[in-house]
Amino acid sequence: MEKLIANNKKARHDYFFEETYEAGIVLTGTEIKSVRAGGVNLRDSYAKVEKGEVHVYGMNISPYEKGNRYNTDPLRPKKLLLHKGEIRRLDENVSKDGLTLVPVKVYINNKGLVKMELAVARGKKLYDKRADIAKRDAGRDMERSMKNR
């Protein structure tokens, strides 16, 4: 059973997900404690493949309150742990037009390790977002009418 730490709801609104990958994150001791306390924010974060490694940028891990001098910069780039073949596949996918790497969620798996779900995503146009909102509203209206019966 996994414990959800952070979820990037805005990513689901702004992107279509093509594929998802599970990656480990390289963290320091105080960062791990802050993650376990729930101090993670994925808003406006993204990932890049550089020199055969994947790094996530813009992921905010708030400083651990009891960490004093061992705390690191909250917005520093964090390295993601993936297999070489997965990194190669991600690099090929991102080199295509309009695809990007988006962190979807951070969680602790049943072995106690911090993992990140990473998606290869294509940006939605404004009319796609409007269609999703209309579909969601129609679903809500149906639920309301079924409930009132």
Side-chain angles (χ1 to χ4, degrees):
M1 187 175 122
E2 59 188 42
K3 178 184 173 192
L4 184 66
I5 303 296
N7 198 359
N8 194 352
K9 292 179 185 175
K10 190 164 174 59
R12 294 211 183 273
H13 183 261
D14 292 341
Y15 297 98
F16 292 117
F17 295 156
E18 307 276 325
E19 294 181 72
T20 59
Y21 294 89
E22 181 183 62
I25 311 173
V26 178
L27 298 172
T28 64
T30 54
E31 283 178 329
I32 245 328
K33 290 184 177 201
S34 182
V35 166
R36 290 183 190 280
V40 179
N41 187 357
L42 291 177
R43 185 176 297 263
D44 300 330
S45 60
Y46 62 96
K48 275 188 187 177
V49 179
E50 298 169 327
K51 300 177 189 171
E53 293 181 341
V54 181
H55 293 271
V56 65
Y57 296 91
M59 179 174 136
N60 187 352
I61 298 180
S62 57
Y64 185 58
E65 50 193 53
K66 299 172 188 159
N68 59 37
R69 69 171 187 238
Y70 298 110
N71 280 331
T72 56
D73 177 28
L75 291 173
R76 76 174 179 85
K78 285 114 183 126
K79 182 178 175 182
L80 298 180
L81 303 172
L82 291 156
H83 291 283
K84 198 180 291 185
E86 289 176 328
I87 294 173
R88 201 174 309 117
R89 212 169 320 126
L90 285 174
D91 197 21
E92 290 170 4
N93 284 338
V94 172
S95 62
K96 293 179 186 173
D97 284 340
L99 292 179
T100 186
L101 294 176
V102 179
V104 178
K105 66 180 179 179
V106 174
Y107 58 94
I108 298 175
N109 70 0
N110 53 5
K111 293 181 182 177
L113 302 174
V114 176
K115 300 287 184 175
M116 174 182 280
E117 187 173 304
L118 194 65
V120 176
R122 181 177 311 279
K124 285 185 181 179
K125 304 280 190 238
L126 183 60
Y127 56 83
D128 292 329
K129 292 179 191 178
R130 286 182 182 153
D132 285 348
I133 291 170
K135 191 184 304 180
R136 187 176 64 224
D137 288 345
R140 283 185 188 153
D141 291 340
M142 268 197 325
E143 288 294 322
R144 261 191 227 116
S145 63
M146 294 298 281
K147 182 180 173 186
N148 292 336
R149 280 183 157 193

